[in-house]
Amino acid sequence: MAVHPDRRTLLAGLATSGLVAGCARPDRGRAAATPGIAVTIDDFDLSDTPLLSGSERDAAILAALRRHRVKAAGFVAGKYVDATLAPRILTRWSDEGHILGNHSFSHRYFSGQDPAGLMADILRCEPLLSRYAGFRRLFRFPYLAEGKTATGRDAMRALLDRHRYRNAPVTIDTSDWCIDNRLKARLAVDPRSAIAPYRRFYLDHVWERATFYDGLARSLFGHSIDHTILLHHRLTTGLFLDDMLAMFRARGWRLVDAETAFASSTLALKPDTLPAGQSLIWSLAKADGRFAGQLRYPGEDGDYEAPRMDARGL
């Protein structure tokens, strides 16, 4: 399986400038006392992993969603869609009522320099997904990178509108891929290694990041929102998604369908920040200007988690 590139490396050298957001106010109809959370899963690299094959991993993910009676959104990179396994899995996702969205064909980082090229790559992926009833014209930017120049950012927004695509933003970003890489590396050395410490670290990490981004949302809007969390189709999701959803429920969060979350006008906001991207809540907080001391850049990265995992021997 290809290793997820380090997000800090990909974004190195980009200067962040916080500008005033010229956006409408978010939904007032969803001024919930408790936050909601919708599951979104990126990439759909269906390679086999230690403990679970690609098919077994997907079955575990769908079983967790079914158990908690919640519908997710999967954002599929076309380069992972093969002629055998992918059609069976994408059919199953569609038949069970989950959304299938576009993650581009090549999964390249978008700097803003070639909007037309990215749009062509999105359209190249579309025929691989449009045959499924669950397909929606929702696009998730690879690496949550939406352009480092205003010209490139705005040109990409216009192209998405022209082709009737909506951006599918993340509000709760995570570094689940970093934890996954560590777990797979350990299992490659010793397949009998205990996974419980990785489960604990994973759940702690997800909870910490969720409460951070929800805290920003409460400060921005005066209330919680229905969040979209970023996960990847990886071993950690197959092993721990059920535990994660149970944790949020036990701690008072509502599980919401991805389609419900994406219908919110809050997720249609377009903050005027550069570089564009990251978590939508991160970008709105950056544009607001009051939260500079709380906003690291990039918002999530393996470099933040590696020392803490090292300290735990993970």
Side-chain angles (χ1 to χ4, degrees), residues 1-312:
M1 174 180 286
V3 175
H4 195 299
D6 186 281
R7 195 176 298 177
R8 179 181 293 278
T9 301
L10 282 165
L11 302 179
L14 303 185
T16 303
S17 60
L19 308 175
V20 176
C23 304
R25 294 295 293 170
D27 291 302
R28 291 300 176 188
R30 175 56 81 185
T34 57
I37 188 165
V39 174
T40 73
I41 298 176
D42 282 11
D43 295 355
F44 277 61
D45 181 347
L46 303 174
S47 303
D48 292 345
T49 57
L51 302 182
L52 297 174
S53 69
S55 182
E56 290 168 339
R57 185 172 71 250
D58 188 73
I61 291 169
L62 287 176
L65 295 170
R66 202 179 304 122
R67 189 173 300 115
H68 292 277
R69 300 181 181 180
V70 66
K71 305 300 183 185
F75 291 93
V76 183
K79 69 178 184 178
Y80 297 127
V81 179
D82 62 17
T84 53
L85 180 58
R88 295 200 301 272
I89 283 179
L90 298 181
T91 296
R92 191 160 55 193
W93 272 70
S94 187
D95 288 349
E96 294 198 19
H98 304 294
I99 290 173
L100 295 175
N102 195 322
H103 200 33
S104 79
F105 186 90
S106 303
H107 199 275
R108 291 195 298 261
Y109 171 79
F110 177 60
S111 67
Q113 292 186 340
D114 186 15
L118 176 56
M119 195 69 237
D121 203 50
I122 295 167
L123 295 176
R124 182 184 176 193
C125 185
E126 184 173 318
L128 301 175
L129 304 175
S130 58
R131 71 188 73 176
Y132 303 103
F135 172 67
R136 302 288 184 274
R137 282 190 173 84
L138 291 169
F139 173 62
R140 169 71 53 77
F141 281 87
Y143 311 108
L144 306 184
E146 301 181 29
K148 63 179 181 178
T149 67
T151 300
R153 176 199 66 196
D154 295 346
M156 196 65 234
R157 288 173 177 177
L159 283 168
L160 289 172
D161 287 345
R162 187 181 310 162
H163 290 277
R164 296 182 293 119
Y165 269 89
R166 287 185 291 136
N167 187 11
V170 167
T171 65
I172 298 171
D173 195 3
T174 75
S175 294
D176 69 323
W177 52 269
C178 171
I179 303 167
D180 181 85
N181 285 345
R182 290 284 191 114
L183 174 57
K184 291 202 300 284
R186 175 63 60 86
L187 290 170
V189 173
D190 181 4
R192 297 172 297 176
S193 294
I195 64 171
Y198 292 88
R199 172 187 174 277
R200 183 71 268 154
F201 189 92
Y202 176 93
L203 294 175
D204 289 346
H205 168 74
V206 167
W207 180 249
E208 178 188 68
R209 304 324 297 155
T211 53
F212 170 75
Y213 288 110
D214 186 59
L216 284 179
R218 288 175 180 266
S219 296
L220 285 165
F221 309 137
H223 58 80
S224 287
I225 65 170
D226 287 347
H227 290 279
T228 53
I229 190 169
L230 174 59
L231 304 173
H232 294 83
H233 202 295
R234 285 177 167 242
L235 178 62
T236 46
T237 308
L239 292 175
F240 306 140
L241 178 61
D242 189 22
D243 295 322
M244 188 200 86
L245 294 174
M247 174 184 72
F248 278 110
R249 277 188 135 155
R251 296 180 181 181
W253 285 47
R254 296 170 295 106
L255 305 184
V256 300
D257 291 344
E259 194 144 24
T260 299
F262 284 127
S264 165
S265 64
T266 303
L267 269 66
L269 294 174
K270 298 178 179 179
D272 190 4
T273 55
L274 292 172
Q278 305 288 300
S279 154
L280 175 64
I281 297 301
W282 189 101
S283 293
L284 290 169
K286 181 67 177 178
D288 183 272
R290 292 176 294 155
F291 304 95
Q294 301 178 47
L295 301 178
R296 63 191 186 185
Y297 183 80
E300 305 302 324
D301 188 78
D303 283 356
Y304 305 138
E305 307 311 322
R308 299 199 293 181
M309 296 192 78
D310 289 343
R312 298 193 194 185

